[in-house]
């Protein structure tokens, strides 16, 4: 591919992983070999890469942990590893919000929030995902009164396919904001998010055995029986374990 000297320098500077890098998703069900595996650290670098990709008819796929069980993150073109973009940009202890770069992993975010006596209202079963990947794929926790992680976003910054930077929220570019919060990476590269958190709390959890028939027959009541509820079914049996948790 006929890159200019400045384009070649940009790619060489941001290249990461071995020359024959193969991406594999978290479940190891899909894999791909991107032509370029790059790790930007700034929005400026992302904008430069988008312009480069447009000039040379390349596609760009930003990835987090690759947690989706589908081939969503796979590409044979340009893959952006967002793991270096994980800075804490600001937090407001009175509004209980925090603004972070999109590549931060949830387990890193939990520690940052704990230091500030804050927490997310609901989280998933694992915390290996990046925050942008988690919201893009509608990652959720438990609890009938709680939304998924996408619903906790109050503002975000996204760089679109033309390299234009958008700051959006419910009040500013609301349609783009709503779409970007669960966009499967199709609208551009999310670089920053602001999350509505709450004061740090403790959960008291109880697990009890039950039967699948009983859980399903009484499912609405089971789901409303605690602030957070989930159950595990053991395939080929009628056995389940019901997990309930409330703020203590």
């Amino acid at each position: 591919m006929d890159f200019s000297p400045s384009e070649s320098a940009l790619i060489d500077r941001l290249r990461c992983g071995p020359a024959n890098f193969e991406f594999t998703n978290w479940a190891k069900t899909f894999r791909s070999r991107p032509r370029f595996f790059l790790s930007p650290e700034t929005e400026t670098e992302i904008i430069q890469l988008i312009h480069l990709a447009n000039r040379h008819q390349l596609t760009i796929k930003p990835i987090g942990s690759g947690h989706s069980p589908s081939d969503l993150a796979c590409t044979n073109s340009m893959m952006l590893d967002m793991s270096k973009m994980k800075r804490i940009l600001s937090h407001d202890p009175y509004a209980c919000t925090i603004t972070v770069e999109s590549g931060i992993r949830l387990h890193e975010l939990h520690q940052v929030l704990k230091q500030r006596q804050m927490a997310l209202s609901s989280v998933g079963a694992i915390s290996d995902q990046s925050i942008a990947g988690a919201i893009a794929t509608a990652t959720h926790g438990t609890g009938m009164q709680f939304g998924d992680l996408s619903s906790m976003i109050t503002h975000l910054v996204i760089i679109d396919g033309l390299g234009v930077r958008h700051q959006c929220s419910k009040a500013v570019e609301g349609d783009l904001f709503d779409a970007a919060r669960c966009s499967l990476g199709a609208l551009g590269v999310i670089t920053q998010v602001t999350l509505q958190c709450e004061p740090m709390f403790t959960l008291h959890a109880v697990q009890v055995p039950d039967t699948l028939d009983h859980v399903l027959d009484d499912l609405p009541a089971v789901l409303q029986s605690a602030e957070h509820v989930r159950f595990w079914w053991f395939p080929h049996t009628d056995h389940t374990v019901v997990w309930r948790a409330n703020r203590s």
Side-chain angles (χ1 to χ4, degrees):
M1 189 163 286
D2 189 18
F3 292 131
S4 69
S6 61
E7 290 173 335
S8 296
L10 177 66
I11 287 178
D12 289 342
R13 180 162 53 86
L14 300 183
R15 196 187 299 270
C16 61
N20 61 342
F21 170 76
E22 182 178 70
F23 167 80
T24 304
N25 70 337
W26 198 75
K28 306 211 181 314
T29 50
F30 292 97
R31 60 191 69 238
S32 67
R33 290 186 183 274
R35 184 168 186 174
F36 303 104
F37 185 52
L38 309 174
S39 186
E41 295 186 52
T42 66
E43 289 183 347
T44 297
E45 290 171 344
I46 291 173
I47 292 171
Q48 291 172 334
L49 288 173
I50 290 173
H51 289 159
L52 182 154
N54 286 336
R55 284 193 294 270
H56 296 279
Q57 297 184 313
L58 297 170
T59 59
I60 289 181
K61 179 76 71 171
I63 64 161
S65 67
H67 183 251
S68 174
S70 72
D71 63 351
L72 181 65
C74 293
T75 182
N76 59 7
S77 191
M78 185 181 291
M79 181 177 284
L80 300 190
D81 168 30
M82 300 294 290
S83 62
K84 291 183 179 179
M85 295 192 65
K86 59 179 183 179
R87 289 173 279 263
I88 311 304
L89 302 177
S90 66
H91 88 282
D92 184 336
Y94 301 103
C96 215
T97 60
I98 190 165
T99 301
V100 298
E101 289 186 318
S102 61
I104 192 170
R105 299 299 174 97
L106 292 179
H107 65 83
E108 296 171 324
L109 178 59
H110 296 328
Q111 292 304 311
V112 169
L113 292 174
K114 183 178 179 180
Q115 293 165 5
R116 291 160 174 78
Q117 298 293 297
M118 295 159 57
L120 300 178
S121 298
S122 181
V123 296
I126 68 165
S127 293
D128 292 351
Q129 309 99 312
S130 69
I131 184 60
I135 69 170
T137 53
T139 296
H140 59 86
T142 61
M144 297 297 287
Q145 307 306 316
F146 301 91
D148 59 9
L149 291 180
S150 303
S151 70
M152 302 177 197
I153 305 299
T154 63
H155 298 76
L156 61 81
V157 173
I158 185 170
I159 300 173
D160 68 20
L162 297 177
V164 178
R165 183 180 187 271
H166 301 265
Q167 284 186 286
C168 51
S169 64
K170 279 286 188 185
V172 179
E173 295 198 72
D175 288 344
L176 175 61
F177 173 70
D178 283 338
R181 284 193 296 171
C182 187
S183 63
L184 304 180
L187 293 182
V189 182
I190 294 175
T191 58
Q192 299 178 24
V193 297
T194 300
L195 291 131
Q196 180 63 61
C197 306
E198 63 175 281
M200 190 169 64
F201 56 90
T202 303
L203 287 177
H204 177 240
V206 177
Q207 292 182 191
V208 297
D210 207 331
T211 66
L212 181 62
D213 284 344
H214 179 261
V215 169
L216 296 182
D217 289 345
D218 204 25
L219 189 58
V222 170
L223 296 180
Q224 296 287 357
S225 62
E227 290 179 276
H228 302 275
V229 179
R230 57 186 173 182
F231 68 92
W232 296 274
W233 168 57
F234 297 90
H236 312 295
T237 76
D238 190 40
H239 301 304
T240 66
V241 172
V242 181
W243 178 93
R244 296 177 174 89
N246 291 296
R247 284 159 173 73
S248 63

